[in-house]
Amino acid sequence: MTSTSEGNFHSEIPLKLIIKTVERESYWLLYIAKSQFIYIPKKVFMSQEDQATFRMLVAGNRNN
């Protein structure tokens, strides 16, 4: 997974490092450690199809 911030900074995290995903109405929490997570707001996706693709990608790594 790659993210780019406003300052054009890039960050990469392999999907295999995600140990748990929590989906809420407007965001996802992707846990990379017991008390450490990445916050992903759903509004960053351009379409419902993009959200569905992301959901399938992270679901393959879920250990809930």
Side-chain angles (χ1 to χ4, degrees):
M1 179 171 59
T2 303
S3 68
T4 304
S5 68
E6 287 182 22
N8 219 17
F9 296 104
H10 296 278
S11 177
E12 293 186 26
I13 297 175
L15 288 175
K16 66 183 181 180
L17 293 183
I18 298 169
I19 59 172
K20 181 180 178 180
T21 61
V22 175
E23 183 176 359
R24 297 291 185 238
E25 185 176 335
S26 61
Y27 61 88
W28 279 280
L29 298 177
L30 307 179
Y31 283 83
I32 56 175
K34 187 175 180 178
S35 60
Q36 191 174 28
F37 59 85
I38 301 164
Y39 172 82
I40 309 287
K42 290 184 176 180
K43 67 182 179 182
V44 301
F45 295 94
M46 302 295 261
S47 67
Q48 292 294 322
E49 292 81 18
D50 291 344
Q51 279 190 39
T53 300
F54 180 78
R55 185 179 292 111
M56 287 189 315
L57 285 171
V58 297
N61 293 289
R62 221 182 298 193
N63 292 327
N64 300 350

